[in-house]
């Protein structure tokens, strides 16, 4: 049904490419049919050029064709919002939610500590949900989930259901969180953006869906990123292969 899907990936940095020490400005991933390829690529470029983290001087856009029989269809995670009044309250709530999902206190402390002190990751850090140890060896690059997007019908249905939330930022994050939540060995994802203007973050899991927490950092703060908590029996190659290679379309 979805023939000729294309994966579009963008990464942008200031001060040269990421691998030469440039500051990560923006990234994006989507999966679109051929008719939307040009428009979406243009929008991706706009996103890189108009970002509050800085003025990108390195922008890479990669377009790849994916054959339709490789695409896995998933329903978007359900969304709830926890309105909190301060960073302290937001962090407190995050700890409670992560604990309820079986993430250990040590792993929570390590994950939150990482996000508080990190300003330049392109991908996510993979932590053991029990020991809190970092399990990937990707350094500053981290692990990037890729090859994922909304189907036209899926987005139309979702944005009608969540009219007040249907911004491009949230729609993109839902795609990422849904794909990640369905990865083998995955327990929970913790995220707040490294965009200094955006202070709402989330914790997502197959169990609880996508739980937005309205205040996880102060405005003007460049720290942020993503932590993927995985179970002890994780096979890292299998886990990362799903995130990077399996094409996922939200329907
Ligand atoms: P953003 O939600 O775009 O503000 O991204 C916040 C942080 O999440 C980035 O700095 C990365 O550390 C991480 N991130 C962004 N995109 C991805 C992705 N596709 N896969 C894994 N981590 C990502």
């Amino acid at each position: 049904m979805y023939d000729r899907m294309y994966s579009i990936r963008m990464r942008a940095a200031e001060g040269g490419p990421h691998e030469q020490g440039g500051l990560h400005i923006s990234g994006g991933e989507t999966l679109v049919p051929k008719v939307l390829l040009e428009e979406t690529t243009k929008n991706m470029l706009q996103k890189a050029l108009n970002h509050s983290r800085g003025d990108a001087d390195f922008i890479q856009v990669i377009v790849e064709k994916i054959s339709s029989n490789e695409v896995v269809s998933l329903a978007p995670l359900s969304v709830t919002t926890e309105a909190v009044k301060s960073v302290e309250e937001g962090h407190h709530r995050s700890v409670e939610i992560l604990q309820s999902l079986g993430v250990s206190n040590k792993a929570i402390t390590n994950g939150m500590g990482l996000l508080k002190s990190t300003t330049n990751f392109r991908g996510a850090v993979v932590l053991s949900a029990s020991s809190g140890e970092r399990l990937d060896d990707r350094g500053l690059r981290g692990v990037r989930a890729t090859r994922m997007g909304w189907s036209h019908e899926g987005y139309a249905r979702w944005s009608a259901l969540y009219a007040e939330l249907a911004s491009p930022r949230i729609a993109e994050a839902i795609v990422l969180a849904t794909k990640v939540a369905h990865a083998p060995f995955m327990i929970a994802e913790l995220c707040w953006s490294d965009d200094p203007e955006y202070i709402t973050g989330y914790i997502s899991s197959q169990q609880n869906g996508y739980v937005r927490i309205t205040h996880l950092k102060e405005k003007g703060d460049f720290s942020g990123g993503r932590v993927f908590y995985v179970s002890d029996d994780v096979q890292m190659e299998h886990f990362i292969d799903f995130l990077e290679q399996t094409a996922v379309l939200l329907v």
Side-chain angles (χ1 to χ4, degrees), residues 56-229:
D57 52 30
F58 169 86
I59 302 171
Q60 182 185 58
V61 180
I62 296 177
V63 176
E64 273 174 339
K65 187 173 175 185
I66 287 172
S67 67
S68 56
N69 55 8
E70 289 171 2
V71 179
V72 172
S73 299
L74 293 176
L77 293 178
S78 61
V79 183
T80 50
T81 301
E82 301 235 356
V84 293
K85 293 193 183 66
S86 63
V87 173
E88 292 68 41
E89 199 189 331
H91 285 192
H92 183 71
R93 222 16 228 133
S94 304
V95 170
E96 287 177 344
I97 295 170
L98 288 168
Q99 281 173 338
S100 76
L101 290 165
V103 181
S104 76
N105 288 336
K106 174 98 177 111
I108 295 172
T109 306
N110 288 4
M112 308 257 297
L114 246 158
L115 293 198
K116 281 184 213 165
S117 60
T118 303
T119 57
N120 199 23
F121 263 94
R122 269 164 62 203
V125 172
V126 183
L127 296 188
S128 154
S130 58
S131 72
E133 251 177 84
R134 184 169 180 186
L135 299 178
D136 67 279
D137 57 1
R138 295 285 177 90
L140 255 191
R141 179 171 177 263
V143 176
R144 275 190 78 86
T146 185
R147 299 189 168 92
M148 58 206 181
W150 283 100
S151 69
H152 184 69
E153 306 74 30
Y155 184 72
R157 204 175 309 124
W158 181 82
S159 53
L161 193 62
Y162 294 104
E164 75 290 358
L165 291 180
S167 69
R169 176 191 292 275
I170 298 179
E172 263 181 46
I174 297 282
V175 173
L176 190 152
T178 302
K179 177 173 182 183
V180 170
H182 286 81
F185 315 107
M186 185 67 193
I187 292 182
E189 175 187 349
L190 167 68
C191 167
W192 67 81
S193 178
D194 48 14
D195 181 335
E197 295 298 310
Y198 198 74
I199 61 171
T200 296
Y202 68 83
I203 295 169
S204 59
S205 59
Q206 271 199 62
Q207 195 175 316
N208 283 1
Y210 182 95
V211 183
R212 302 172 68 233
I213 300 171
T214 55
H215 208 149
L216 284 180
K217 70 175 192 182
E218 302 296 357
K219 262 206 167 172
D221 182 349
F222 276 67
S223 74
R226 284 183 156 89
V227 174
F228 297 164
Y229 287 108

